[in-house]
Amino acid sequence: MGGRDAVLRAEGLSKRFGGLLAVQNVTFTQYAGEILAVIGPNGAGKTTLLNLLSGVYRPTSGRLHLLGQDVTDRSMEARCHAGLGRAFQIVRPFPEMTVHENVTVGALFGKPGGRLPEARERAYALLERTGLAAHADKAAHELTLLQDKRLEVARALATQPQVLLLDEVMAGLRPAEAQEAVGLVRSVRESGVSVLFIEHIMPVVRDLADRVVVMDQGQVLAEGTYREVTAHPQVVAAYLGTEEGLRA
């Protein structure tokens, strides 16, 4: 793990939808070079939290700091320009554009004043890093699910983030494919990008995360290493009530 400088700090984030308090007083810090996992049962508020971090939603209360800047009231675009990238669980590339063109779009618009030649060059370098260079000229709709996931990560990296949010990027992958994706996430961190990810597959969390934040019913239930949180009695109770259920 890298230095202990905070790259992302949530302070009392809450989000209310009418009478539903989907996220309640969530506080955590992510440090530079860290892979931080957010886990929890279905309905725990994980995706709502990710939407608060990325700017899809504005919090009902609380503050968010990115790389030392208060970005609570900034738009998704402004947060992207400030160094926050996101890859989505449901991949929606531009299907008729080539793989290279899809990543070029991210490279061109991820930062203000982007120029097409540099964007195209950066996009191709990212295709090589993510194992998609051989598919650069294919239409995006021709890719397999694993390749789609790699394209989503490449598009997010094209915006030159310092912090990358990943929303269940392993979903739908076979075990061998998930291990490939684990290697990709590790390579992202090795390139100097801090990663925060949501995941249901516990072996992936075990293999990837430096620290884990556990959510339940919109609140932080526990925080620590994988070993620490999986031994926490309330976490065990939240996951099917047994240690065996948690490990499954």
Side-chain angles (χ1 to χ4, degrees), residues 158-176:
T159 67
Q160 302 179 73
Q162 294 186 55
V163 181
L164 178 63
L165 308 179
L166 302 177
D167 188 358
E168 295 194 50
V169 294
M170 312 293 176
L173 298 181
R174 296 188 293 270

Side-chain angles (χ1 to χ4, degrees), residues 3-9 29-32 65-68 163 194:
R4 299 299 289 178
D5 293 334
V7 292
L8 197 64
R9 190 169 79 251
T29 299
Q30 180 178 12
Y31 298 100
H65 290 82
L66 170 67
L67 303 169
V163 181
S194 306

Side-chain angles (χ1 to χ4, degrees), residues 63-81:
R63 310 302 298 176
L64 178 68
H65 290 82
L66 170 67
L67 303 169
Q69 303 177 55
D70 189 328
V71 296
T72 311
D73 299 319
R74 295 194 189 180
S75 66
M76 291 179 66
E77 181 182 14
R79 293 183 199 200
C80 178
H81 292 166

Side-chain angles (χ1 to χ4, degrees), residues 58-117:
R58 300 292 173 89
T60 304
S61 59
R63 310 302 298 176
L64 178 68
H65 290 82
L66 170 67
L67 303 169
Q69 303 177 55
D70 189 328
V71 296
T72 311
D73 299 319
R74 295 194 189 180
S75 66
M76 291 179 66
E77 181 182 14
R79 293 183 199 200
C80 178
H81 292 166
L84 187 68
R86 179 173 178 179
F88 290 83
Q89 176 184 0
I90 299 173
V91 182
R92 292 191 178 96
F94 301 106
E96 301 304 324
M97 293 174 66
T98 67
V99 171
H100 183 236
E101 288 167 343
N102 266 273
V103 182
T104 300
V105 169
L108 193 58
F109 296 105
K111 291 286 184 289
R115 294 171 55 84
L116 183 58

